[in-house]
Amino acid sequence: MKIRLLFLLAFLFTLQSCDTDDILPALTLTSSSNEISENQGIITITASLNSVAEQETNLPISFSGTATLNEDYVSSEASLIIPPGDSSGSLSISTIQDEDIEDIETIIISIDAQGDVIVTSSSITISILDDDFDTDGDGIVDVNDSC
């Protein structure tokens, strides 16, 4: 009888202690593409939770890489915001056209660690593909070169 009571108490304790309210939602960062053209390219960066947000989730982002913000590209937002009742939020990255002959430049978009979510993928690297060429090697971009 005592063993049955002990097993029953252990079973009830196990049921009561298996509460998942204290598990943080997981966040994944994705992009619509890993490459973007220098000529009017636009991509979307999305932060997705594995559950619906109960309150607004504001995710500050940082930009790094070989491309320069506001010189080679612009971002529609300074942070990713997931509104209450939604499971994702997005921003767009647009390139700025120039006539400089450049190698492939990169944009690294990162989310810093957050206390209210578990970040499963904290950064994305995007390549900006240059569309300026100097086929005759005279230092003048083909668009402006008459020879």
Side-chain angles (χ1 to χ4, degrees), residues 15 24 35 41 44-45 66 71 74 78 88 112 122-123 134 144:
L15 283 178
L24 297 174
E35 294 180 340
T44 302
I45 306 298
T66 58
E71 185 177 310
V74 292
S88 66
D112 296 327
S122 61
S123 69
D134 178 16
N144 298 327

Side-chain angles (χ1 to χ4, degrees), residues 3 13 15 27 29 31 41-42 44 47 50-51 54-55 57 64 73 75 80 83-85 100 105 113 117 120 130 134:
I3 293 176
F13 177 77
L15 283 178
L27 179 106
L29 191 61
S31 66
I42 298 174
T44 302
N50 63 346
S51 62
E54 293 179 14
Q55 60 187 4
T57 304
S64 60
Y73 65 97
S75 174
L80 283 160
D100 298 332
E105 296 177 289
V117 296
T120 59
D130 191 23
D134 178 16

